[in-house]
Amino acid sequence: MQTGKITKYTPFQQIDLPDRQWPSRTITHAPIWASVDLRDGNQALATPMNVDEKLEMFELLVGIGFKEIEVGFPSASDTEFNFIRRLVDENRIPEDVTLQVLVQAREHLIRRTFESLQGVSKAIVHLYNSTSPVQRRITFNKSKEEIKAIAIEGTRLVKSLIQTIPDTKIRFQYSPESFSDTEVDYALEVCEAVMAEWQPTERDKIILNLPATVEVATPNVHADQIEWFCRHLKERNKAYISLHTHNDRGTGVAATELGLLAGADRVEGTLFGNGERTGNLDIVTVALNLYTQGVDPLLDFSQLEHIRSVYERITRMTVHDRHPYAGDLVFTAFSGSHQDAIKKGMDLRSVTDTDGIRWEVPYLAIDPEDIGRDYEAIIRINSQSGKGGVAYILERDFGLELPKAMHPDVGLTINSRADQGSRELSPQEVHEVFMQKYVNLSAPLELLSIEREDFAKTGEVKVEAEICIEGETMLVAGTGNGPISAFVNALQIKGWKDFKLLDYRQHSIGGGSKTKAAAYIQIKNDDGTVSFGCGINANIELAGLHALVSAFNRAHPKPSK
């Protein structure tokens, strides 16, 4: 790489548009969507789809709601040609879906393309030729006039061949390939020449597709190109302006969104951005971005995991773990502060009638349920996790509603275990550590059995408990206003009470005959430290007593007899 003054690369020329309007606009409705998975996406695969795989992908795209689907480059290979014929012969094309076919502006390829469309009720013929200075000079060695003539002659041939398939409604799309790297005034000149040849009307518009075949500038420059083109195009009312962004700079989505603000009507792209080099526009991301802004995308991604699984199987591509909306980790929080905030947001929604209420959960731009995902992987636990995440896992997966004061202590314990192994802990492992460190602890003090006696006159309770402490079994007795306070009194009589009972909570786990009680006790020791314990038992009183013993054991690993 060069350093200092870079001479190998130069900035892309800015567009002269001082009164640009797109920065102050808002996207208020979905564009016309066109999937190019079966053509642009397919040609970018190391192992292209066979006909059966293309059929399955076509059905998937139809199910999502695409009404315009570029099914291939029928003049390029027999597989492409035969796929279209199978769609026709097996009557697989829904009435509201229009097939799109791509063809270079070359006579024999155009004629072969029309052969493939026999029997199709409606189709878009997508004609293209390269217009950029680099392509004109290096690839074709032709002048601007010669390049424009290719586009006009190709358009004329397409128009003449419509009569060969009179039962097919043909719409026309033209792309000045590498529009992103073409002088905007020249791109306009070529497109207007094509329009003059085609003679579109307001009712039967031409599609002018302006592809960012290679991203060469920042998204704002792309938006300026689109707005400049829309504002200068004669008979703008007779054309749909279509976008087809690639992702060479990693800003394909942004360029598309700004292009829509700049006046475009239509978007071409693929599922998860599959395409040449760094990929095409990811339609999933743009559509769901609209959805999170309150705009109906008119595409159904409510079963996104299913869509992803079909896509990965057919294309043999893998959706990245951090891919927007679809990645395995996009609804996962490792950071403790994130986990805590997510838990609070989810807790608030769980106790509120949220029907029609705005989605507001920290760190989650979209409700995972809306796209067929669940909360199972929202929070995962490693050494970076916090108190809220651990508490969320224990409550969500195991029904344990830890008191808030207990969260930091449990979080530290779980994180220490994760840190020791330098890895993430599964929810089951989190539960196992909690049970091992806090629940029904039996050393050094173990509660073997207990009997209670109630005194109606005084309201006092007397307990007599059989315990084992450091291997020695004995009986202890005490009184109080309940079994827990009575047992505390028994410990005091033995000289073992050097703590104050701060808090007691309990709740049920499960339902029916298998219901258990979970109890939590917080004690403050004479040295100022705080200890927590949990007890789980079918009997609520025993659960509370086990919680007290567990807290005692955590505070007194070796108590004096």
Side-chain angles (χ1 to χ4, degrees), residues 312-334:
E312 290 187 327
R313 175 170 49 79
I314 291 176
T315 66
R316 302 163 186 85
M317 301 285 285
T318 301
V319 175
H320 193 277
D321 286 347
R322 300 292 184 187
H323 195 100
Y325 302 107
D328 281 341
L329 298 180
V330 297
F331 297 119
T332 301
F334 291 99

Side-chain angles (χ1 to χ4, degrees), residues 60-122:
L60 180 69
L61 295 169
V62 169
I64 291 170
F66 287 99
K67 303 305 180 186
E68 298 180 5
I69 301 174
E70 190 166 270
V71 291
F73 202 142
S75 61
S77 71
D78 289 340
T79 299
E80 300 283 283
F81 188 97
N82 293 336
F83 170 59
I84 297 173
R85 298 313 312 155
R86 189 163 169 185
L87 287 175
V88 175
D89 296 341
E90 296 181 3
N91 195 29
R92 289 176 176 266
I93 308 169
E95 291 184 4
D96 61 346
V97 172
T98 300
L99 300 191
Q100 180 170 302
V101 288
L102 182 72
V103 61
Q104 289 176 318
R106 299 171 64 186
E107 181 178 353
H108 70 287
L109 300 180
I110 294 172
R111 292 186 183 279
R112 178 65 169 166
T113 298
F114 269 81
E115 290 174 16
S116 75
L117 294 175
Q118 293 285 342
V120 176
S121 62
K122 51 188 177 182

Side-chain angles (χ1 to χ4, degrees), residues 324-489:
Y325 302 107
D328 281 341
L329 298 180
V330 297
F331 297 119
T332 301
F334 291 99
S335 161
S337 61
H338 289 200
Q339 292 169 352
D340 186 58
I342 290 171
K343 180 183 185 302
K344 288 175 180 175
M346 300 300 294
D347 286 348
L348 183 61
R349 291 187 69 83
S350 70
V351 297
T352 306
D353 181 6
T354 57
D355 186 31
I357 301 300
R358 180 184 174 193
W359 172 258
E360 289 184 311
V361 173
Y363 300 109
L364 297 183
I366 190 173
D367 183 349
E369 285 190 350
D370 286 349
I371 53 177
R373 302 190 67 174
D374 53 36
Y375 306 126
E376 187 121 356
I378 287 180
I379 291 177
R380 289 162 63 171
I381 305 301
N382 64 14
S383 62
Q384 303 302 307
S385 305
K387 56 185 181 180
V390 172
Y392 183 85
I393 290 289
L394 291 172
E395 180 176 347
R396 182 197 66 189
D397 292 355
F398 305 101
L400 295 167
E401 302 170 14
L402 276 60
K404 190 170 183 61
M406 194 175 182
H407 291 187
D409 193 84
V410 176
L412 181 61
T413 301
I414 300 297
N415 292 349
S416 295
R417 177 63 64 88
D419 196 34
Q420 289 171 15
S422 298
R423 64 180 181 85
E424 175 190 341
L425 298 183
S426 69
Q428 186 60 43
E429 288 176 306
V430 170
H431 183 247
E432 289 172 0
V433 174
F434 179 73
M435 295 293 289
Q436 176 189 355
K437 297 293 186 180
Y438 291 90
V439 181
N440 297 354
L441 303 184
S442 58
L445 174 64
E446 181 179 7
L447 177 63
L448 300 175
S449 65
I450 192 164
E451 293 183 5
R452 64 176 285 176
E453 182 180 358
D454 293 271
F455 300 95
K457 272 189 178 182
T458 63
E460 288 189 318
V461 172
K462 179 181 180 181
V463 299
E464 187 174 273
E466 182 180 12
I467 65 170
C468 179
I469 187 162
E470 292 190 312
E472 182 180 343
T473 302
M474 64 181 70
L475 292 175
V476 296
T479 58
N481 59 12
I484 292 177
S485 63
F487 188 71
V488 170
N489 178 245

Side-chain angles (χ1 to χ4, degrees), residues 36-49 54 70-74 76-77 80 102-104 128 177 213 244 246 270 274-277 280 315 317:
V36 294
D37 290 86
L38 292 167
R39 196 278 304 171
D40 206 339
N42 187 46
Q43 75 183 38
L45 298 175
T47 304
M49 301 176 224
K54 292 192 78 169
E70 190 166 270
V71 291
F73 202 142
S77 71
E80 300 283 283
L102 182 72
V103 61
Q104 289 176 318
Y128 76 96
E177 189 192 8
T213 307
H244 183 116
H246 282 246
T270 61
N274 178 39
E276 293 280 13
R277 306 181 311 278
N280 283 51
T315 66
M317 301 285 285

Side-chain angles (χ1 to χ4, degrees), residues 144-163:
K144 284 184 175 180
E145 285 301 315
E146 289 173 314
I147 292 294
K148 182 170 68 174
I150 292 173
I152 295 171
E153 291 164 7
T155 302
R156 184 178 299 132
L157 180 57
V158 169
K159 191 172 183 178
S160 70
L161 289 175
I162 290 177
Q163 61 186 336

Side-chain angles (χ1 to χ4, degrees), residues 52-326:
D52 288 336
E53 289 170 335
K54 292 192 78 169
L55 285 172
E56 186 175 359
M57 179 63 79
F58 180 78
E59 296 293 337
L60 180 69
L61 295 169
V62 169
I64 291 170
F66 287 99
K67 303 305 180 186
E68 298 180 5
I69 301 174
E70 190 166 270
V71 291
F73 202 142
S75 61
S77 71
D78 289 340
T79 299
E80 300 283 283
F81 188 97
N82 293 336
F83 170 59
I84 297 173
R85 298 313 312 155
R86 189 163 169 185
L87 287 175
V88 175
D89 296 341
E90 296 181 3
N91 195 29
R92 289 176 176 266
I93 308 169
E95 291 184 4
D96 61 346
V97 172
T98 300
L99 300 191
Q100 180 170 302
V101 288
L102 182 72
V103 61
Q104 289 176 318
R106 299 171 64 186
E107 181 178 353
H108 70 287
L109 300 180
I110 294 172
R111 292 186 183 279
R112 178 65 169 166
T113 298
F114 269 81
E115 290 174 16
S116 75
L117 294 175
Q118 293 285 342
V120 176
S121 62
K122 51 188 177 182
I124 298 170
V125 175
H126 180 186
L127 181 80
Y128 76 96
N129 68 306
S130 296
T131 58
S132 71
V134 172
Q135 294 275 20
R136 296 195 308 260
R137 185 179 72 255
I138 297 176
T139 307
F140 299 106
N141 191 27
K142 291 184 181 295
S143 67
K144 284 184 175 180
E145 285 301 315
E146 289 173 314
I147 292 294
K148 182 170 68 174
I150 292 173
I152 295 171
E153 291 164 7
T155 302
R156 184 178 299 132
L157 180 57
V158 169
K159 191 172 183 178
S160 70
L161 289 175
I162 290 177
Q163 61 186 336
T164 65
I165 47 174
D167 295 330
T168 303
K169 170 63 178 175
I170 294 294
R171 295 165 59 201
F172 184 57
Q173 173 171 323
Y174 172 71
S175 288
E177 189 192 8
S178 298
F179 166 82
S180 53
D181 200 22
T182 300
E183 309 93 322
V184 287
D185 56 347
Y186 177 63
L188 179 69
E189 179 184 335
V190 173
C191 287
E192 287 186 336
V194 166
M195 286 183 70
E197 183 66 39
W198 185 257
Q199 291 294 302
T201 66
E202 286 190 55
R203 293 188 60 185
D204 191 8
K205 298 181 181 183
I206 191 173
I207 302 170
L208 296 178
N209 190 54
L210 307 179
T213 307
V214 179
E215 274 199 308
V216 295
T218 50
N220 62 297
V221 173
H222 182 258
D224 282 348
Q225 289 176 313
I226 301 301
E227 182 171 336
W228 188 98
F229 188 95
C230 290
R231 288 167 61 171
H232 288 81
L233 178 67
K234 299 172 185 176
E235 299 186 306
R236 170 70 176 87
N237 59 329
K238 297 180 181 179
Y240 292 114
I241 303 303
S242 178
L243 305 175
H244 183 116
T245 60
H246 282 246
N247 203 42
D248 301 85
R249 294 169 56 93
T251 58
V253 166
T256 294
E257 292 178 331
L258 298 191
L260 290 172
L261 292 174
D265 311 294
R266 183 176 182 269
V267 169
E268 291 188 348
T270 61
L271 300 178
F272 311 114
N274 178 39
E276 293 280 13
R277 306 181 311 278
T278 52
N280 283 51
L281 168 78
D282 175 16
I283 280 186
V284 177
T285 297
V286 175
L288 291 177
N289 283 355
L290 290 178
Y291 181 67
T292 64
Q293 299 301 302
V295 177
D296 185 351
L298 303 179
L299 294 175
D300 183 3
F301 291 115
S302 61
Q303 299 300 319
L304 189 56
E305 288 200 332
H306 167 70
I307 293 168
R308 171 185 162 179
S309 68
V310 174
Y311 163 85
E312 290 187 327
R313 175 170 49 79
I314 291 176
T315 66
R316 302 163 186 85
M317 301 285 285
T318 301
V319 175
H320 193 277
D321 286 347
R322 300 292 184 187
H323 195 100
Y325 302 107

